[in-house]
Amino acid sequence: QVHLVESGGGLVQAGGSLRLSCAASGRTFSIDTMGWFRQGPGKEREFVVAIEWIGGSTYYSDSVKGRFTISRDNAKNTVYLQMNSLKPEDTAVYYCAAWRLPRATLTERSVDYWGQGTQVTVSS
């Protein structure tokens, strides 16, 4: 079993920055990929970004590419999401996610482990 704990959410003005963290515990050796989904008010959960543990390949949604950066610290079993140039439309609950196996597509249904979620609010 894998347990994901998120931190770093909060309130920020448009144009500001936040850094989210997601620490994995338990059977972390079984994780192939980690990343983030988000769900804004009145919207469906959507993929944001992911990173492969071993090779470090990254995958970004078009809406955040160039503004968000994902990274990982293997020693700490932690992934980070640096969010810059935040916009009001980035307001959402951000959920850390982990996959046990490589996936052709990183969909919500394919996620093996979920974090509890952390609120990010961007004011205009």
Side-chain angles (χ1 to χ4, degrees), residues 9-61:
L11 175 65
V12 66
Q13 293 184 350
S17 299
L18 285 173
R19 189 177 77 156
L20 305 183
S21 299
C22 179
S25 61
R27 296 182 178 181
T28 57
F29 60 85
S30 68
I31 297 175
D32 180 88
T33 304
M34 290 183 64
W36 300 86
F37 288 73
R38 68 184 182 185
Q39 187 166 14
K43 298 181 179 180
E44 296 184 358
R45 192 171 299 188
E46 65 173 344
F47 172 80
V48 179
V49 63
I51 186 169
E52 296 178 356
W53 271 113
I54 303 300
S57 297
T58 56
Y59 309 89
Y60 292 88
S61 68

Side-chain angles (χ1 to χ4, degrees), residues 56-76:
S57 297
T58 56
Y59 309 89
Y60 292 88
S61 68
D62 290 339
S63 63
V64 306
K65 198 168 188 177
R67 299 187 298 119
F68 292 9
T69 303
I70 190 169
S71 61
R72 87 272 204 234
D73 186 333
N74 290 338
K76 296 181 179 180

